[in-house]
Amino acid sequence: MICIPVTASSNEGAIDEMKEAAKFADIVELRIDYINSPDLESLLKERTKPVIVTNRARRQGGMYSGDESARIGLLKEAISLGAEYIDIEHDAVNEIGDAGSTKLIASYHNFDETPDNLLDIHSDLVKLGAHMVKLITFAKKITDNFRIFELLCGSGFPTISFCMGELGQISRILSPKFGGKLVFASLAKGKESAPGQLTIDELVNVYRIGEVDKDTKVFGLLGNPVAHSRGAYIHNGAFKEKGINAVYVLFKVDDQELVGFMEYVRKGYVNGLSVTIPHKESVIKFLHNIDPIAKKIGAVNTVVNQDGKLSGCNTDCPAAVDALDETLQKIAGSSMEELNEPICGKSVLIIGAGGSARAIAFGLNEKGANITIANRTETRGEMLAKEVGCRCIGYNELNDIEIDVLVNTTSVGMHPNVEGSPISDSVLKKGMVVFDIIYNPPKTKLLQMAEEKGGVVLGGIEMFVRQAALQFELFTDQEAPLELMRITVSG
Ligand code: ATR
């Protein structure tokens, strides 16, 4: 069930917000601590959905600054007016007395951490004899969320529980899977009643919160940072399109937490992962199987969990090769010989020698391309060239070689530094195929320059969409809705 807190500071504003919230919420939380002189009678008369009346004191993270007996007095008034629920802090439950037909939610909030003794806190809450308990903590690390999930799985009592804060957002999305009774969403950005609260629009339209249940499979992006990622839009949109009971979330995991996080993955809390910086290499040690090309590349961007056995592969590699293949096929037109293996024998210059360059170099090498690498740090370029079995040249030699296909794998030209180009335009020639793996902006400075010279250009969106589509297929065993994914990324 979804609950939207009303946080207006006036009675009129709260009535307006209640009406708006009632369109989306199963329950509306009336935060009377936000209202100057709340008129409970009018507020409750105007409700169209069940309400939780909450009057949180400042010491517990709320806005109420009056004296304690007046604070409790307002809650008793809500009870006498027939409010469906009141939220009462665990240390004040005994002050309430007879609650009549109103149901009590005994709550515990910790704005600093997710304490070690979660189970003790929960059992103390249960003992208070309320109708439901609410145990809300602050996530300082990603594993705090999974401790909440463990608590929910074994709680055996109606419980609302999740973590606050940016790191706790996944618990807001996933708590219904583990039996959490209520999810809180803000009406709009800026209307949050607690840190990390997602908007109703995000919860409903991106994460399809109404459909998250015990059978929902959990996928997500493992990385740091992850906030910029379009992954949740692409994968959740594709799950919806295909009618798959799954949700994709963002797991922000720093280096020190990777071991703890992967332990929860292995236990089955997560069914599959996309992997990005900085974990593409470090995740390998947690895998039971790794596919041969990902092993060669030394980087994994996809992990699938089958009954606790983790398999890794690299979809960046086939995505780049396929995108380039298709472009070369279009150019080749009707020449059947070229159509079979358009990359074979082509002279390909790869700029860069990082993780993406590795994936593309090994992939194109398998297809018989004649590869040259140029990297800012020449020693790194030379090391990759040695592994792949190709040559490496300095930036000062770029004008001296024949190039059919140029691939930029560096971040030069990426938003916000969109005026940058990894090479000067003297390297670009008519008919040259120029592939930039950057997808923001869709047409980089390099691609603009290449077009001006009469080159054929390929932007990073195509590779990005294809690597996500291949992941989707590994996650679900179903064909990816490629066109929808393309539209989602471009939009
Ligand atoms: P990714 O996994 O996205 O490939 P990476 O492993 O950090 O990221 O690699 C980034 C690549 O971009 C490297 O080849 C890097 O060159 P160095 O090896 O010299 O660091 C290259 N790169 C990044 N910024 C660059 C810049 N301003 N000019 C030229 N090359 C750059």
Side-chain angles (χ1 to χ4, degrees), residues 85-104:
Y85 297 89
I86 65 162
D87 175 318
I88 179 75
E89 297 70 19
H90 62 101
D91 54 0
V93 171
N94 293 336
E95 310 293 319
I96 291 296
D98 180 10
S101 61
T102 299
K103 290 171 176 162
L104 297 190

Side-chain angles (χ1 to χ4, degrees), residues 352-357 375-377 380 395 409-412:
S356 307
N375 191 46
R376 177 177 62 180
T377 311
R380 194 178 179 195
Y395 271 34
T409 69
T410 76
S411 52
V412 184

Side-chain angles (χ1 to χ4, degrees), residues 190-205:
K191 298 292 300 173
E192 300 84 3
S193 62
Q197 202 169 76
L198 292 148
T199 64
I200 185 72
D201 180 51
E202 288 168 311
L203 274 179
V204 171
N205 295 324

Side-chain angles (χ1 to χ4, degrees), residues 444-469:
T444 57
K445 177 80 177 171
L446 172 67
L447 296 185
Q448 290 169 32
M449 285 170 17
E451 260 184 352
E452 279 163 24
K453 286 285 186 90
V456 178
V457 301
L458 172 61
I461 285 183
E462 200 49 35
M463 172 177 163
F464 182 70
V465 169
R466 283 170 191 254
Q467 63 78 29

